[in-house]
Amino acid sequence: MTVVAVIVTVLLTVAGGLTLVRIIRGPSILDRAVATDVLLAVAVAAIATEAAYSRDATALPVLVVLAVVGFVGSVSVARFAARRDPK
């Protein structure tokens, strides 16, 4: 089980690092918004992995709040981008 936890930790760290690169170098604001949403998903996955590894369910409300914040943020950015689209 420890090997799996180390592999998951490394993968989530690499994913977070690559996402931070996309946030910094993103050519447009929409790329940065999508990368921020991905970073939030990586954070949720990391918290869920830690909760599963430690068999502790106290992190579940935090996961729910982060999921709602991510959803609301994505919808807000999508609505903002739709209003700015000159059609």
Side-chain angles (χ1 to χ4, degrees):
M1 185 68 171
T2 305
V3 174
V4 174
V6 169
I7 291 172
V8 169
T9 302
V10 168
L11 289 175
L12 288 173
T13 303
V14 169
L18 292 174
T19 304
L20 284 174
V21 169
R22 175 49 59 193
I23 290 172
I24 293 169
R25 297 183 61 197
S28 71
I29 193 70
L30 288 177
D31 288 331
R32 289 183 173 103
V34 169
T36 304
D37 192 36
V38 170
L39 187 62
L40 183 64
V42 169
V44 167
I47 294 170
T49 302
E50 190 276 327
Y53 182 73
S54 66
R55 297 183 188 264
D56 187 18
T58 57
L60 291 179
V62 174
L63 292 174
V64 171
V65 169
L66 285 176
V68 169
V69 166
F71 174 75
V72 170
S74 296
V75 169
S76 299
V77 168
R79 291 189 67 171
F80 176 72
R83 286 187 185 158
R84 289 186 58 197
D85 190 23
K87 283 190 177 181

